[in-house]
Amino acid sequence: MRPALALLGARAAQAALTAWLLATLCFAFMHALPGDMALRVAAARVGDERVTVETTERIRREEGLDRPLAVQYAAWLGRVATGDLGQSLVSRQPVRQEIAYHGRFTLGLGALGWLVSYLIALPLGIACGFAPGGWLDRVTTGIAVALASLPSFLVGIGLISVFALSLRWLPPAGYRTGAHMVLPALTLALGLAAFSVRVIRNAVVEVRGAFYMTFARIRGRSAASAFRHHGVRNAAIPVATFAALQFAYMVDGFVVVEMLFNYPGLGELLVKALLARDVPVVMGAGLVIGLVYAGVNLLADLACLALDPRQAARAAA
């Protein structure tokens, strides 16, 4: 119990540090961009053709953009300490509300893409692990290398060309029904499966070569029975760890995928906020992404502790 509590405390501190660092970097990068921030906010708020000097200066004063950067940053930290992420400079809506609205779309898409990726990768990885070097292993490796080498937007364009434009089975972009999630989720899933299938395959190969598996075979168990009773738990440990690391790919992937498919998620919100120099939205999104990333890693660590209690003793040491 103590190792688990120590792990929770360490991960909580890591989550706070990661989120703060990401948000701080977002603040620094946004203010390092060339151009007048107040002008960009005014253009996003009222339109390029209606921007005037008076409007720009009014927004600069109202939003405190004329204050020193250190004062702006300290004010934001003070608000965050009370749970307030501030207001969008463009829409004037609470940042928390903006992130919650767009985040639910991203969460649904990411969960579906992750689930589909393991529906593809698990059976293929296990089959390749039971017959390493076989024809299925070689074909799967070739396809996985090809998919891993392709940017996600090229995979998405290929899927749009085949299933939306040629076969006309699915809508190409937007979001109105569940069918609009299929192509973006499949784009994410193929990118994730290209990496996870090799991790699963290697974990199965390593476990099947372990001494305890050989001993189980000597005692009369079949290869499948020995793996099911003794190997699954051990093979799942590196897979669970890698599944958490894949969240980094998801953060990178959903921005590209959501813009390609015009999907109203967090990636689209981030891109629009970057173009409009909407600092509170970018910093709030960075904060939330950092916290979620640390939370996913915590869940992976707890899953590994449940699969292998010996890790608790190592964590305590």
Side-chain angles (χ1 to χ4, degrees), residues 11-12 50 58 86 115 144 171 184 215 253:
R11 287 303 188 191
R50 300 176 60 186
R58 176 174 54 81
L115 177 62
F215 184 71

Side-chain angles (χ1 to χ4, degrees), residues 147-213:
L147 284 174
S149 304
L150 290 174
S152 54
F153 74 88
L154 281 181
V155 176
I157 289 173
L159 293 176
I160 291 173
S161 300
V162 174
F163 295 104
L165 301 182
S166 298
L167 299 177
R168 299 183 182 276
W169 288 353
L170 295 166
Y175 183 78
R176 290 187 299 277
T177 65
H180 288 81
M181 294 181 65
V182 175
L183 289 183
L186 189 56
T187 302
L188 285 174
L190 291 175
L192 293 171
F195 296 96
S196 55
V197 69
R198 303 307 299 165
V199 173
I200 296 169
R201 180 260 187 201
N202 293 337
V204 172
V205 169
E206 182 178 351
V207 166
R208 290 187 70 237
F211 173 76
Y212 57 83
M213 292 290 289

Side-chain angles (χ1 to χ4, degrees), residues 20-21 26 32 46 55 83 111 116 136 139 159 184 187 189 227 247 253 304 307:
W20 168 77
L21 183 60
C26 289
V46 303
T55 302
V116 172
L136 180 61
V139 171
L159 293 176
T187 302
F227 180 76
F247 184 74
C304 290
L307 291 168

Side-chain angles (χ1 to χ4, degrees), residues 189-282:
L190 291 175
L192 293 171
F195 296 96
S196 55
V197 69
R198 303 307 299 165
V199 173
I200 296 169
R201 180 260 187 201
N202 293 337
V204 172
V205 169
E206 182 178 351
V207 166
R208 290 187 70 237
F211 173 76
Y212 57 83
M213 292 290 289
T214 304
F215 184 71
R217 295 294 306 277
I218 293 173
R219 295 185 61 185
R221 287 188 179 273
S222 65
S225 176
F227 180 76
R228 186 168 58 252
H229 286 87
H230 303 287
V232 170
R233 180 185 291 265
N234 292 284
I237 293 172
V239 175
T241 303
F242 183 76
L245 293 176
Q246 280 189 315
F247 184 74
Y249 173 87
M250 293 288 286
V251 172
D252 176 58
F254 73 67
V255 173
V256 176
V257 170
E258 288 180 3
M259 292 304 297
L260 176 64
F261 289 95
N262 194 27
Y263 188 80
L266 200 57
E268 185 185 47
L269 174 68
L270 266 175
V271 171
K272 290 181 177 179
L274 284 168
L275 294 175
R277 307 284 289 275
D278 197 343
V279 178
V281 171
V282 175

